Amino acid sequence: MKFYMKLQDWLAGPFSQKMQKFMQNPYMHALQVCFTIILPMIMVGSLASLVNTFRNFAPWLPDLSLINSFSFGLISIFMAFLIPYTIMESKKLQKQKMITGFASVSALIALANPQYVDGNLVINSGYVGTGGMTVAMVMGLVIGWLFSAYFKHGLFKKDSSLPSVVVVWFESILIIFVLILVCIIIGQNVDLFSLLEKVFSPLAAIGNTYLGFLLFYMIMALCYCCGLSAWTVWPIVCALYLTNIAANAAAVAAGQAPIYIATDELVFMGWCCLGGLGCTLPLNILMIRSRSKKISTIGKAAIASFIFNINEPVMYGLPVVLNPVMMLGYMTVSFVVPTITYIVFKLGLVSIPAVAMMMNFLPQPISTFMVNSDFRGIILWAVLFVLTYLIYLPFFKVYEKQELESEQEVNTLRKEETNG
């Protein structure tokens, strides 16, 4: 019991403090905010992809691929604007944040080296979509750092008689001119998109291995059950997942088989998040059947949210968060489920998803079937559900016993007060 108390104190104290400090870094914060704001645009593209999936069964449905192209397909432009914009906002440079975002978008397009063909500006669509995410991310961080440092010092004295908006105009002109000029020169001489793809390919390769796949999932799970946001590592994970699903879709379009397992569709819509991160739907079933009134009541109240893969009521209500007994079960599930899932897909026993959807709120296993239209995936989902139930069972029983004893003590005290 002392070990559990010490562990709980460490998780709630030093560990949480260090993680929160890391998350509050302006640059990390900018990445988190960026993906949070962009998410609706990704989901619009995912909805279009979902409708197009049904065209396999109902060809009369309209082709909505252009909606995907003009939402999810422009993700690098959105990132190029939002990352430096948020950095400037975090550093209290409110008057300069908008022009910094505009300058970053201009820089991205200049780096893509667009060409004029018959009076039309032609640009590689991949560079403004998922293929340009790495450049947009790195460039956005660099521009955010550069512009924040520049505007903090400025060209004019702080007590200048000129209106502040005029000062921002004149200070912006020089740095934006230099930025765009440099990006045009780089874009015309170096394919920065391909170069950065090669530079970061070792990291992507690690993320696509079993260890990388497992590590990303377990870090998100650990953050969640420690009361921290899984968004801490989401920018890195999301960049990998979006790139992979786009590569899978391109492979299928070229008549090849998809090969990337680490995608949002597989992890969150398919097999690694049964009811939410950590596969807590089976745990909710255990709670509903509990002999503890408190646990049973929370379980019944939470079941509706699980239809849409929202598990906060259980994570904070049972709780799992900062509860050493349940955290151990939660992290065991977060190791076993991704491991089995990765092995099954690596062996080709179930088809790898190749359509970008990212609609994690859809009920499972309906969404599980939709991501790859493979009935074998439903069987895998059912096996993982039963296995997760059995893993959670002993940990849950230990915690349930503690709660029953606590409830018994409370009831005894109430009876004594009534009789007294």
Side-chain angles (χ1 to χ4, degrees):
M1 196 67 180
K2 289 183 178 180
F3 170 76
Y4 284 143
M5 294 300 294
K6 288 182 179 179
L7 178 62
Q8 188 173 16
D9 290 342
W10 179 78
L11 291 170
F15 178 79
S16 293
Q17 291 170 6
K18 289 180 180 179
M19 290 300 295
Q20 286 173 356
K21 186 176 181 181
F22 173 70
M23 290 166 62
Q24 290 168 358
N25 178 286
Y27 302 95
M28 192 65 203
H29 174 70
L31 293 176
Q32 294 171 351
V33 170
C34 172
F35 282 104
T36 303
I37 295 175
I38 288 174
L39 190 57
M41 299 301 291
I42 296 174
M43 294 182 69
V44 167
S46 300
L47 183 61
S49 297
L50 176 63
V51 173
N52 280 352
T53 299
F54 288 117
R55 294 184 75 239
N56 295 328
F57 311 99
W60 50 269
L61 287 172
D63 184 358
L64 302 181
S65 55
L66 280 178
I67 293 179
N68 182 288
S69 299
F70 295 131
S71 52
F72 180 55
L74 299 176
I75 189 171
S76 291
I77 293 179
F78 306 145
M79 290 176 65
F81 175 84
L82 282 170
I83 292 173
Y85 175 94
T86 308
I87 292 172
M88 299 294 281
E89 191 172 50
S90 297
K91 296 197 174 188
K92 311 300 182 185
L93 295 167
Q94 303 292 342
K95 295 177 182 178
Q96 297 90 347
K97 63 183 181 181
M98 193 70 74
I99 193 64
T100 302
F102 293 155
S104 183
V105 172
S106 297
L108 176 71
I109 295 175
L111 288 171
N113 191 26
Q115 303 293 319
Y116 279 97
V117 179
D118 297 329
N120 298 311
L121 186 66
V122 179
I123 188 171
N124 187 327
S125 61
Y127 290 169
V128 296
T130 55
M133 286 177 62
T134 304
V135 171
M137 192 181 300
V138 173
M139 184 197 69
L141 292 172
V142 170
I143 290 177
W145 168 78
L146 181 64
F147 274 53
S148 62
Y150 172 80
F151 281 116
K152 276 190 175 181
H153 292 87
L155 299 177
F156 295 86
K157 294 181 179 180
K158 299 298 181 183
D159 57 352
S160 173
S161 60
L162 290 172
S164 59
V165 66
V166 176
V167 171
V168 172
W169 288 348
F170 281 105
E171 287 184 334
S172 301
I173 291 171
L174 176 62
I175 191 170
I176 293 174
F177 182 88
V178 173
L179 173 69
I180 295 176
L181 178 62
V182 170
C183 288
I184 289 173
I185 294 171
I186 293 174
Q188 291 178 345
N189 294 276
V190 180
D191 186 351
L192 192 61
F193 296 84
S194 299
L195 180 62
L196 283 184
E197 186 177 342
K198 291 178 181 178
V199 170
F200 285 96
S201 59
L203 291 176
I206 293 171
N208 285 314
T209 63
Y210 161 67
L211 289 177
F213 180 80
L214 179 65
L215 184 62
F216 281 146
Y217 189 91
M218 292 196 71
I219 290 175
M220 287 191 291
L222 180 62
C223 288
Y224 196 13
C225 67
C226 287
L228 302 171
S229 174
W231 287 94
T232 304
V233 294
W234 178 244
I236 300 170
V237 175
C238 186
L240 176 66
Y241 286 1
L242 291 176
T243 302
N244 282 352
I245 194 64
N248 284 348
V252 170
Q256 301 171 355
I259 60 172
Y260 294 110
I261 295 172
T263 64
D264 184 276
E265 289 70 19
L266 187 147
V267 174
F268 293 102
M269 290 183 66
W271 297 269
C272 296
C273 292
L274 283 61
L277 190 65
C279 300
T280 48
L281 179 56
L283 177 60
N284 197 179
I285 303 301
L286 284 168
M287 291 173 63
I288 291 173
R289 301 177 60 189
S290 174
R291 291 179 294 145
S292 164
K293 289 184 179 179
K294 172 195 167 185
I295 294 176
S296 177
T297 301
I298 294 171
K300 290 173 183 176
I303 193 64
S305 63
F306 269 97
I307 296 174
F308 305 102
N309 301 311
I310 300 170
N311 64 351
E312 279 81 359
V314 165
M315 292 297 293
Y316 293 96
L318 179 59
V320 174
V321 172
L322 296 177
N323 179 340
V325 174
M326 293 311 305
M327 283 177 67
L328 189 55
Y330 184 85
M331 293 308 297
T332 301
V333 168
S334 298
F335 170 79
V336 172
V337 171
T339 296
I340 293 175
T341 301
Y342 187 91
I343 292 171
V344 168
F345 280 92
K346 195 67 175 178
L347 294 175
L349 301 179
V350 179
S351 302
I352 296 175
V355 177
M357 289 188 182
M358 210 171 178
M359 302 182 71
N360 306 336
F361 56 84
L362 292 177
Q364 294 186 15
I366 297 173
S367 65
T368 308
F369 177 73
M370 291 171 62
V371 297
N372 64 354
S373 302
D374 187 345
F375 283 103
R376 294 174 297 178
I378 302 296
I379 298 173
L380 174 61
W381 188 93
V383 170
L384 291 173
F385 183 94
V386 173
L387 181 61
T388 303
Y389 183 95
L390 295 175
I391 292 173
Y392 271 124
L393 184 59
F395 299 99
F396 176 78
K397 287 298 181 183
V398 170
Y399 181 66
E400 182 187 45
K401 183 180 178 182
Q402 294 175 2
E403 283 298 314
L404 287 170
E405 291 173 353
S406 177
E407 289 177 6
Q408 183 63 38
E409 289 178 5
V410 171
N411 290 334
T412 302
L413 288 172
R414 286 177 179 174
K415 286 181 181 179
E416 290 176 354
E417 289 175 357
T418 304
N419 295 332

